[in-house]
Amino acid sequence: MTVLKTIPYVVGQWVRGDRFYGRQAVLDEILAGNRESLWLLGTRRMGKTSTLKEAELRASVAGGSFVPLFWDLQGADEPGELHLSFHDALLDAEERLAVHGFDVDTFDPRDLFASLNRLRRGLIAKGKRLLLLCDEVEELIKLEMQDPSLLRKLRRALQSDGGVRSVLTSTIRLWALAENRGDTSPFLHGFAPPLYLATMTDGEARSLLRQEHLAPEARPDIDRETVESVRAACDNHPYLLQLVGKRYLEVGDVEEALARVSADEMVSYFFAVDFEMLAPIEQQILQTIAHMTAPSSGSLDQRLDLTAAPVTAGLLRLENLGFLQRDEDRRLVLANRFFQDWIRRAAADQGRRSGPATATPPFAERVTEILSQIDSQVAAGDAANPQQLLELVYDDLRQLARRYM
């Protein structure tokens, strides 16, 4: 096998341009669809940020009707930080906005609403529209707990009549909180139903693995049989495709690459966090299917009440999110080899911990426990010191980070 000087697969970072593959239907909806308020909903590492970044790039083409603005809300868990985060977005797009006559230095960093309104009106006067791409929207849940009126005001600004198309991205945590908290739901009015961002199509996955956007001489040496083996194991999950592709080029053997990814604690961590976000009935559905060797409607019906609305809704959402898929006989099965391995190991670990001997929880489970503690403390108004929480997992994080340096 030819050793590449540079491995083309990108793991754990957002991509756009030649590095971006697939999602054409979603991009068409963002850039040319009829909805002015969209919500992209997906699990971790499904490519939400990359999709927004690619939409930003494509909308930046000269002569287009949209002027894009990427707004990262991560860390904006206080009203003042929310305003500053929007001003940071303006600064990041300073050159693009200057082309349309805006001087970012004249915008007030303490008032995002005045800035947004000024930007919207100015673009309308030039025959343009603002494409506002909002990432990490879960942060708004913390803000809603502090100041519900702020979210109502923000929703009105994002859904102004004319001049702005707003796109939100989030994990399933936002959806779960919206269902469980009546005062959260109004913010999502107009954005729901969500546009699910799940696995790639077969063609998109093949194109990614072959890296068809690269020049032929720069593409990885990966034959058709290997492409199909990797694609089937990953069930077209973009992060897993990139990670397995990278491992394959490193070790030169597809089964060894799959085994290494299955044993990777970082992968287990992602699955653990995503699973923790699910509703109890959805967790029960996945655990039930995991314990069935040949799940079918009949066998599921024996274990779950398929006539119950929560079960029906849970099955549909799990399929939309990419946790479940249909096999050739239209039976429900767990989506990919790595999630199957993880959920069965997690069940086995849970069984062992219920006995007299209790082993030290692995990294992924410990982080999940910490996240649950944070949620409980925030709900009780007694949030822990972030530095104290960081110290609990610092050594493990440092070791894991070395794998991707």
Side-chain angles (χ1 to χ4, degrees):
M1 173 181 170
T2 302
V3 178
L4 297 178
K5 293 182 179 180
T6 303
I7 292 178
Y9 301 110
V10 180
V11 179
Q13 302 175 27
W14 62 263
V15 295
R16 66 179 177 184
D18 290 342
R19 297 282 191 178
F20 185 88
Y21 287 84
R23 308 302 192 193
Q24 189 59 50
V26 175
L27 290 167
D28 287 344
E29 184 69 23
I30 293 174
L31 299 173
N34 295 322
R35 295 176 61 182
E36 300 298 341
S37 303
L38 294 98
W39 174 22
L40 303 188
L41 177 61
T43 57
R44 294 169 57 87
R45 299 300 184 191
M46 197 57 77
K48 298 183 295 298
T49 299
S50 293
T51 301
L52 288 192
K53 285 292 187 179
E54 180 66 13
E56 178 189 30
L57 179 64
R58 296 190 186 189
S60 301
V61 176
S65 61
F66 284 119
V67 175
L69 182 66
F70 180 86
W71 182 12
D72 184 1
L73 279 75
Q74 187 172 28
D77 54 359
E78 296 180 356
E81 292 298 326
L82 182 67
H83 292 280
L84 290 175
S85 69
F86 186 78
H87 194 70
D88 287 341
L90 295 176
L91 291 172
D92 290 339
E94 187 171 11
E95 292 184 8
R96 183 185 308 141
L97 296 176
V99 172
H100 298 282
F102 296 101
D103 181 358
V104 173
D105 289 337
T106 64
F107 284 75
D108 186 354
R110 299 165 297 180
D111 191 345
L112 77 88
F113 300 107
S115 297
L116 180 56
N117 190 51
R118 177 183 168 187
L119 188 59
R120 182 180 65 86
R121 290 178 178 274
L123 289 174
I124 290 175
K126 296 178 180 295
K128 300 288 185 179
R129 302 172 62 203
L130 177 65
L131 179 62
L132 188 58
L133 305 166
C134 309
D135 201 19
E136 304 286 353
V137 180
E138 295 92 337
E139 297 290 352
L140 296 180
I141 297 301
K142 301 174 185 177
L143 286 169
E144 190 275 338
M145 298 176 67
Q146 300 177 47
D147 187 356
S149 64
L150 181 63
L151 255 66
R152 291 193 291 269
K153 187 175 181 180
L154 180 60
R155 184 174 71 84
R156 289 194 297 269
L158 295 180
Q159 297 181 336
S160 300
D161 292 335
V164 59
R165 173 170 293 188
S166 301
V167 184
L168 314 180
T169 68
S170 78
T171 62
I172 52 182
R173 189 180 296 276
L174 184 65
W175 185 252
L177 290 175
E179 289 178 337
N180 295 330
R181 294 179 54 86
D183 52 356
T184 307
S185 300
F187 178 79
L188 296 175
H189 179 71
F191 290 99
L195 189 62
Y196 287 96
L197 198 68
T199 54
M200 308 176 84
T201 67
D202 292 351
E204 292 170 347
R206 292 186 182 106
S207 182
L208 185 155
L209 285 170
R210 295 170 182 153
Q211 291 290 293
E212 293 179 350
H213 294 171
L214 299 179
E217 64 273 12
R219 296 175 186 175
D221 182 13
I222 181 169
D223 59 43
R224 179 178 179 179
E225 182 179 356
T226 300
V227 166
E228 293 306 304
S229 295
V230 173
R231 194 184 59 74
C234 298
D235 188 34
N236 297 343
H237 189 298
Y239 172 77
L240 295 174
L241 290 170
Q242 300 259 27
L243 183 57
V244 174
K246 180 176 183 291
R247 292 287 182 264
Y248 171 71
L249 295 184
E250 290 171 345
V251 302
D253 181 83
V254 66
E255 288 303 323
E256 176 64 18
L258 293 172
R260 291 192 181 194
V261 171
S262 183
D264 193 324
E265 283 193 333
M266 183 63 79
V267 174
S268 296
Y269 162 67
F270 293 136
F271 289 143
V273 173
D274 283 339
F275 185 81
E276 185 70 21
M277 292 181 188
L278 295 172
I281 185 62
E282 293 165 344
Q283 294 179 356
Q284 181 186 354
I285 289 170
L286 292 176
Q287 290 168 335
T288 299
I289 293 177
H291 286 86
M292 295 163 56
T293 57
S296 64
S297 296
S299 56
L300 270 179
D301 194 31
Q302 294 173 2
R303 299 169 183 245
L304 297 169
D305 181 7
L306 298 183
T307 63
V311 174
T312 302
L315 285 168
L316 178 61
R317 192 163 75 128
L318 290 170
E319 197 168 356
N320 285 335
L321 288 167
F323 285 101
L324 297 176
Q325 65 172 337
R326 301 276 179 174
D327 65 11
E328 295 179 353
D329 297 321
R330 301 296 298 164
R331 296 176 301 190
L332 285 168
V333 295
L334 296 179
N336 64 72
R337 164 175 169 171
F338 308 103
F339 182 66
Q340 295 170 18
D341 291 346
W342 173 82
I343 197 169
R344 287 165 182 148
R345 286 200 306 265
D349 290 342
Q350 182 65 34
R352 285 193 293 270
R353 286 199 301 273
S354 64
T358 302
T360 302
F363 171 75
E365 296 179 16
R366 187 157 73 254
V367 172
T368 303
E369 290 173 2
I370 291 172
L371 289 173
S372 298
Q373 292 171 10
I374 294 172
D375 287 341
S376 300
Q377 290 166 344
V378 169
D382 185 27
N385 185 330
Q387 183 62 36
Q388 295 174 343
L389 295 171
L390 178 61
E391 290 174 354
L392 292 175
V393 294
Y394 175 78
D395 289 337
D396 292 301
L397 286 171
R398 183 174 59 182
Q399 292 297 325
L400 285 169
R402 288 177 178 170
R403 302 184 187 183
Y404 304 100
M405 295 297 287

PDB file of all heavy atoms in Angstrom, residues 316-330:
ATOM      1  N   LEU A 316     -39.620   7.189  15.626  1.00  0.00           N
ATOM      2  CA  LEU A 316     -39.461   8.079  14.479  1.00  0.00           C
ATOM      3  C   LEU A 316     -38.283   9.015  14.679  1.00  0.00           C
ATOM      4  O   LEU A 316     -37.479   9.227  13.758  1.00  0.00           O
ATOM      5  CB  LEU A 316     -40.748   8.879  14.271  1.00  0.00           C
ATOM      6  CG  LEU A 316     -40.724   9.895  13.120  1.00  0.00           C
ATOM      7  CD1 LEU A 316     -40.478   9.190  11.793  1.00  0.00           C
ATOM      8  CD2 LEU A 316     -42.036  10.684  13.083  1.00  0.00           C
ATOM      9  N   ARG A 317     -38.161   9.580  15.867  1.00  0.00           N
ATOM     10  CA  ARG A 317     -37.074  10.537  16.096  1.00  0.00           C
ATOM     11  C   ARG A 317     -35.713   9.838  16.097  1.00  0.00           C
ATOM     12  O   ARG A 317     -34.733  10.363  15.565  1.00  0.00           O
ATOM     13  CB  ARG A 317     -37.287  11.292  17.411  1.00  0.00           C
ATOM     14  CG  ARG A 317     -36.356  12.493  17.550  1.00  0.00           C
ATOM     15  CD  ARG A 317     -36.834  13.442  18.614  1.00  0.00           C
ATOM     16  NE  ARG A 317     -36.586  12.922  19.934  1.00  0.00           N
ATOM     17  CZ  ARG A 317     -35.963  13.600  20.895  1.00  0.00           C
ATOM     18  NH1 ARG A 317     -35.515  14.814  20.665  1.00  0.00           N
ATOM     19  NH2 ARG A 317     -35.796  13.082  22.086  1.00  0.00           N
ATOM     20  N   LEU A 318     -35.642   8.651  16.676  1.00  0.00           N
ATOM     21  CA  LEU A 318     -34.385   7.911  16.683  1.00  0.00           C
ATOM     22  C   LEU A 318     -33.945   7.550  15.269  1.00  0.00           C
ATOM     23  O   LEU A 318     -32.756   7.565  14.955  1.00  0.00           O
ATOM     24  CB  LEU A 318     -34.526   6.646  17.532  1.00  0.00           C
ATOM     25  CG  LEU A 318     -34.647   6.862  19.043  1.00  0.00           C
ATOM     26  CD1 LEU A 318     -35.030   5.560  19.733  1.00  0.00           C
ATOM     27  CD2 LEU A 318     -33.357   7.420  19.618  1.00  0.00           C
ATOM     28  N   GLU A 319     -34.915   7.249  14.415  1.00  0.00           N
ATOM     29  CA  GLU A 319     -34.583   6.958  13.021  1.00  0.00           C
ATOM     30  C   GLU A 319     -34.134   8.230  12.304  1.00  0.00           C
ATOM     31  O   GLU A 319     -33.170   8.220  11.533  1.00  0.00           O
ATOM     32  CB  GLU A 319     -35.796   6.342  12.318  1.00  0.00           C
ATOM     33  CG  GLU A 319     -35.458   5.631  11.032  1.00  0.00           C
ATOM     34  CD  GLU A 319     -36.605   4.793  10.497  1.00  0.00           C
ATOM     35  OE1 GLU A 319     -37.664   4.698  11.162  1.00  0.00           O
ATOM     36  OE2 GLU A 319     -36.440   4.225   9.403  1.00  0.00           O
ATOM     37  N   ASN A 320     -34.818   9.339  12.567  1.00  0.00           N
ATOM     38  CA  ASN A 320     -34.448  10.613  11.939  1.00  0.00           C
ATOM     39  C   ASN A 320     -33.062  11.082  12.362  1.00  0.00           C
ATOM     40  O   ASN A 320     -32.325  11.683  11.573  1.00  0.00           O
ATOM     41  CB  ASN A 320     -35.475  11.692  12.283  1.00  0.00           C
ATOM     42  CG  ASN A 320     -36.767  11.535  11.523  1.00  0.00           C
ATOM     43  OD1 ASN A 320     -36.797  10.955  10.445  1.00  0.00           O
ATOM     44  ND2 ASN A 320     -37.861  12.030  12.091  1.00  0.00           N
ATOM     45  N   LEU A 321     -32.693  10.805  13.618  1.00  0.00           N
ATOM     46  CA  LEU A 321     -31.403  11.240  14.140  1.00  0.00           C
ATOM     47  C   LEU A 321     -30.261  10.307  13.743  1.00  0.00           C
ATOM     48  O   LEU A 321     -29.097  10.651  13.939  1.00  0.00           O
ATOM     49  CB  LEU A 321     -31.462  11.339  15.668  1.00  0.00           C
ATOM     50  CG  LEU A 321     -32.275  12.505  16.233  1.00  0.00           C
ATOM     51  CD1 LEU A 321     -32.510  12.313  17.724  1.00  0.00           C
ATOM     52  CD2 LEU A 321     -31.567  13.832  15.974  1.00  0.00           C
ATOM     53  N   GLY A 322     -30.595   9.141  13.210  1.00  0.00           N
ATOM     54  CA  GLY A 322     -29.544   8.229  12.771  1.00  0.00           C
ATOM     55  C   GLY A 322     -29.159   7.176  13.789  1.00  0.00           C
ATOM     56  O   GLY A 322     -28.173   6.457  13.583  1.00  0.00           O
ATOM     57  N   PHE A 323     -29.909   7.051  14.892  1.00  0.00           N
ATOM     58  CA  PHE A 323     -29.626   5.991  15.857  1.00  0.00           C
ATOM     59  C   PHE A 323     -30.114   4.636  15.346  1.00  0.00           C
ATOM     60  O   PHE A 323     -29.551   3.600  15.681  1.00  0.00           O
ATOM     61  CB  PHE A 323     -30.306   6.285  17.199  1.00  0.00           C
ATOM     62  CG  PHE A 323     -29.640   7.350  18.013  1.00  0.00           C
ATOM     63  CD1 PHE A 323     -30.143   8.641  18.040  1.00  0.00           C
ATOM     64  CD2 PHE A 323     -28.501   7.074  18.752  1.00  0.00           C
ATOM     65  CE1 PHE A 323     -29.534   9.627  18.798  1.00  0.00           C
ATOM     66  CE2 PHE A 323     -27.888   8.042  19.508  1.00  0.00           C
ATOM     67  CZ  PHE A 323     -28.399   9.331  19.532  1.00  0.00           C
ATOM     68  N   LEU A 324     -31.206   4.657  14.563  1.00  0.00           N
ATOM     69  CA  LEU A 324     -31.800   3.442  14.041  1.00  0.00           C
ATOM     70  C   LEU A 324     -31.848   3.499  12.519  1.00  0.00           C
ATOM     71  O   LEU A 324     -31.889   4.589  11.929  1.00  0.00           O
ATOM     72  CB  LEU A 324     -33.235   3.259  14.566  1.00  0.00           C
ATOM     73  CG  LEU A 324     -33.415   3.073  16.074  1.00  0.00           C
ATOM     74  CD1 LEU A 324     -34.902   3.013  16.410  1.00  0.00           C
ATOM     75  CD2 LEU A 324     -32.710   1.819  16.565  1.00  0.00           C
ATOM     76  N   GLN A 325     -31.852   2.330  11.902  1.00  0.00           N
ATOM     77  CA  GLN A 325     -32.034   2.234  10.460  1.00  0.00           C
ATOM     78  C   GLN A 325     -32.853   0.991  10.149  1.00  0.00           C
ATOM     79  O   GLN A 325     -33.092   0.152  11.018  1.00  0.00           O
ATOM     80  CB  GLN A 325     -30.685   2.156   9.751  1.00  0.00           C
ATOM     81  CG  GLN A 325     -29.891   0.911  10.073  1.00  0.00           C
ATOM     82  CD  GLN A 325     -28.650   0.779   9.214  1.00  0.00           C
ATOM     83  OE1 GLN A 325     -28.574   1.333   8.126  1.00  0.00           O
ATOM     84  NE2 GLN A 325     -27.664   0.044   9.705  1.00  0.00           N
ATOM     85  N   ARG A 326     -33.297   0.890   8.912  1.00  0.00           N
ATOM     86  CA  ARG A 326     -34.053  -0.285   8.470  1.00  0.00           C
ATOM     87  C   ARG A 326     -33.128  -1.195   7.669  1.00  0.00           C
ATOM     88  O   ARG A 326     -32.391  -0.720   6.802  1.00  0.00           O
ATOM     89  CB  ARG A 326     -35.219   0.147   7.581  1.00  0.00           C
ATOM     90  CG  ARG A 326     -36.202   1.087   8.262  1.00  0.00           C
ATOM     91  CD  ARG A 326     -37.219   0.332   9.058  1.00  0.00           C
ATOM     92  NE  ARG A 326     -38.154   1.253   9.730  1.00  0.00           N
ATOM     93  CZ  ARG A 326     -39.218   0.853  10.404  1.00  0.00           C
ATOM     94  NH1 ARG A 326     -39.486  -0.446  10.492  1.00  0.00           N
ATOM     95  NH2 ARG A 326     -40.002   1.723  10.988  1.00  0.00           N
ATOM     96  N   ASP A 327     -33.174  -2.486   7.970  1.00  0.00           N
ATOM     97  CA  ASP A 327     -32.370  -3.420   7.189  1.00  0.00           C
ATOM     98  C   ASP A 327     -33.125  -3.802   5.917  1.00  0.00           C
ATOM     99  O   ASP A 327     -34.168  -3.224   5.592  1.00  0.00           O
ATOM    100  CB  ASP A 327     -31.981  -4.642   8.020  1.00  0.00           C
ATOM    101  CG  ASP A 327     -33.179  -5.488   8.438  1.00  0.00           C
ATOM    102  OD1 ASP A 327     -34.299  -5.262   7.928  1.00  0.00           O
ATOM    103  OD2 ASP A 327     -33.007  -6.382   9.283  1.00  0.00           O
ATOM    104  N   GLU A 328     -32.619  -4.777   5.179  1.00  0.00           N
ATOM    105  CA  GLU A 328     -33.225  -5.154   3.904  1.00  0.00           C
ATOM    106  C   GLU A 328     -34.646  -5.668   4.066  1.00  0.00           C
ATOM    107  O   GLU A 328     -35.459  -5.565   3.138  1.00  0.00           O
ATOM    108  CB  GLU A 328     -32.366  -6.209   3.219  1.00  0.00           C
ATOM    109  CG  GLU A 328     -30.987  -5.707   2.806  1.00  0.00           C
ATOM    110  CD  GLU A 328     -30.154  -6.787   2.159  1.00  0.00           C
ATOM    111  OE1 GLU A 328     -30.613  -7.961   2.162  1.00  0.00           O
ATOM    112  OE2 GLU A 328     -29.060  -6.466   1.655  1.00  0.00           O
ATOM    113  N   ASP A 329     -34.981  -6.178   5.238  1.00  0.00           N
ATOM    114  CA  ASP A 329     -36.331  -6.687   5.504  1.00  0.00           C
ATOM    115  C   ASP A 329     -37.194  -5.653   6.216  1.00  0.00           C
ATOM    116  O   ASP A 329     -38.248  -5.994   6.763  1.00  0.00           O
ATOM    117  CB  ASP A 329     -36.247  -7.965   6.347  1.00  0.00           C
ATOM    118  CG  ASP A 329     -35.519  -9.078   5.624  1.00  0.00           C
ATOM    119  OD1 ASP A 329     -35.727  -9.211   4.406  1.00  0.00           O
ATOM    120  OD2 ASP A 329     -34.731  -9.792   6.280  1.00  0.00           O
ATOM    121  N   ARG A 330     -36.711  -4.384   6.249  1.00  0.00           N
ATOM    122  CA  ARG A 330     -37.431  -3.268   6.880  1.00  0.00           C
ATOM    123  C   ARG A 330     -37.539  -3.433   8.390  1.00  0.00           C
ATOM    124  O   ARG A 330     -38.391  -2.826   9.036  1.00  0.00           O
ATOM    125  CB  ARG A 330     -38.835  -3.100   6.276  1.00  0.00           C
ATOM    126  CG  ARG A 330     -38.863  -2.846   4.785  1.00  0.00           C
ATOM    127  CD  ARG A 330     -38.201  -1.517   4.463  1.00  0.00           C
ATOM    128  NE  ARG A 330     -38.884  -0.398   5.080  1.00  0.00           N
ATOM    129  CZ  ARG A 330     -38.363   0.814   5.215  1.00  0.00           C
ATOM    130  NH1 ARG A 330     -37.135   1.056   4.795  1.00  0.00           N
ATOM    131  NH2 ARG A 330     -39.049   1.784   5.774  1.00  0.00           N
TER     132      ARG A 330
END
